[in-house]
Amino acid sequence: MENKSIYGGVLLKAKNIMDFIMTCETPPILTEISRNTAMNKSTVLKILHTLELCGYVRCTGPEKRYSLGTVFLGYSQSVLSTFNIKSLAEPYLTTLRDNTNETINLGILQNQSAVLLSKLESPSAIKLYSDIGKGLRLYTSAIGKSLLSTFNQDEFENYLNTTELEQITPNTITNKAELIQDIEVARKRGYAIENCENQPDVICVGFPIVRSGRTYGAFSISAPKYRVKTTDLENFIKYGKIAQSKIIAAL
């Protein structure tokens, strides 16, 4: 948060209380909220009463456990209907394109495909083929594999059981066990690498955009294999992580 004069410190206290409630697997009681927000119980109780009056929290059961109110469902629908990941991410992806001098793609998950929302071309004379609005296979593309790395176990198993792993290029992964291992590696390191699996002689590095358990999309850096040396790949990962963290922070 920028260093600005803040009006209404109680709003920040209310936010801290709701943030804590949001992270709890089981609705907390007053004592737990007080202990974890570093506020005395009297202050917390007064704020909770006001939040309950506004519909922001609910108090239920004999133990008086607090959970977020259903009013947030309406807020979330409004946010989702007006939110534009393309507009938010584009300044950071433009910087990424300028830092790497390679093509940057942004996509979202839609109907078991990665649909491209935007493409920032490399200044190089050699252009890579991809169309805005086109759906990419999840298992062959860097953006797609990044999105797969955000799937939970049930979602990933369902994808594997309903998707035929076709051979698109000589490097395409068509063995389920190998794909599972590849996605697990991507999940652990926070990015996915596509080594000529979707287009011959094209290497891509993909990064998921995830915050608070919600996946907003993914982006990738794409380049012809002949000009990607080890140091170039390291820079793709370095600058990609920077862009990823800045986009997530801006969400």
Side-chain angles (χ1 to χ4, degrees):
M1 184 176 293
E2 298 179 8
N3 293 324
K4 295 181 178 179
S5 178
I6 297 176
Y7 177 77
V10 70
L11 294 178
L12 296 179
K13 293 179 180 179
K15 179 182 183 301
N16 288 338
I17 289 172
M18 290 188 289
D19 285 349
F20 172 68
I21 293 174
M22 180 176 63
T23 63
C24 295
E25 293 185 5
T26 301
I29 60 176
L30 174 62
T31 301
E32 293 171 324
I33 299 172
S34 174
R35 183 172 61 247
N36 286 276
T37 58
M39 287 182 259
N40 63 58
K41 289 197 287 186
S42 175
T43 298
V44 171
L45 187 59
K46 290 176 182 177
I47 294 174
L48 284 170
H49 282 163
T50 303
L51 292 174
E52 190 174 6
L53 180 65
C54 295
Y56 295 152
V57 301
R58 293 180 298 131
C59 181
T60 57
E63 294 180 300
K64 293 188 176 181
R65 293 188 173 275
Y66 292 89
S67 57
L68 295 181
T70 55
V71 67
F72 285 108
L73 295 175
Y75 289 158
S76 66
Q77 288 300 316
S78 178
V79 170
L80 290 174
S81 66
T82 59
F83 181 76
N84 187 335
I85 186 64
K86 179 178 179 291
S87 296
L88 183 144
E90 203 155 73
Y92 306 105
L93 298 183
T94 298
T95 300
L96 179 60
R97 188 270 313 278
D98 295 342
N99 284 335
T100 60
N101 288 318
E102 300 297 352
T103 299
I104 310 299
N105 294 296
L106 173 68
I108 58 171
L109 179 67
Q110 192 173 91
N111 299 325
Q112 298 290 58
S113 295
V115 177
L116 291 183
L117 294 182
S118 69
K119 176 183 180 182
L120 301 175
E121 292 279 11
S122 164
S124 168
I126 296 180
K127 308 299 181 183
L128 301 180
Y129 175 76
S130 60
D131 290 332
I132 304 301
K134 179 182 178 181
L136 299 173
R137 297 173 183 85
L138 296 183
Y139 70 95
T140 65
S141 61
I143 285 181
K145 292 202 288 184
S146 294
L147 292 170
L148 282 178
S149 73
T150 71
F151 281 25
N152 62 38
Q153 185 174 349
D154 288 342
E155 290 169 337
F156 190 35
E157 288 181 358
N158 179 66
Y159 175 78
L160 290 174
N161 291 334
T162 57
T163 303
E164 181 182 355
L165 304 181
E166 301 177 51
Q167 190 84 47
I168 308 303
T169 75
N171 280 18
T172 302
I173 299 174
T174 57
N175 180 279
K176 287 188 177 181
E178 290 182 18
L179 181 60
I180 291 171
Q181 183 178 17
D182 189 49
I183 298 304
E184 181 59 30
V185 170
R187 185 177 293 114
K188 288 179 179 178
R189 65 189 177 192
Y191 61 88
I193 293 180
E194 171 208 329
N195 184 16
C196 308
E197 298 159 47
N198 193 59
Q199 296 183 55
D201 303 318
V202 175
I203 287 182
C204 302
V205 185
F207 301 83
I209 303 171
V210 182
R211 181 163 185 175
S212 300
R214 175 177 173 79
T215 301
Y216 291 85
F219 64 90
S220 68
I221 306 164
S222 302
K225 184 175 182 177
Y226 78 88
R227 67 174 181 231
V228 179
K229 300 179 177 61
T230 300
T231 53
D232 296 315
L233 188 59
E234 290 172 351
N235 280 331
F236 292 173
I237 295 167
K238 171 187 171 182
Y239 289 118
K241 285 184 173 181
I242 292 173
Q244 182 188 44
S245 64
K246 288 185 175 181
I247 294 169
I248 291 172
L251 287 170

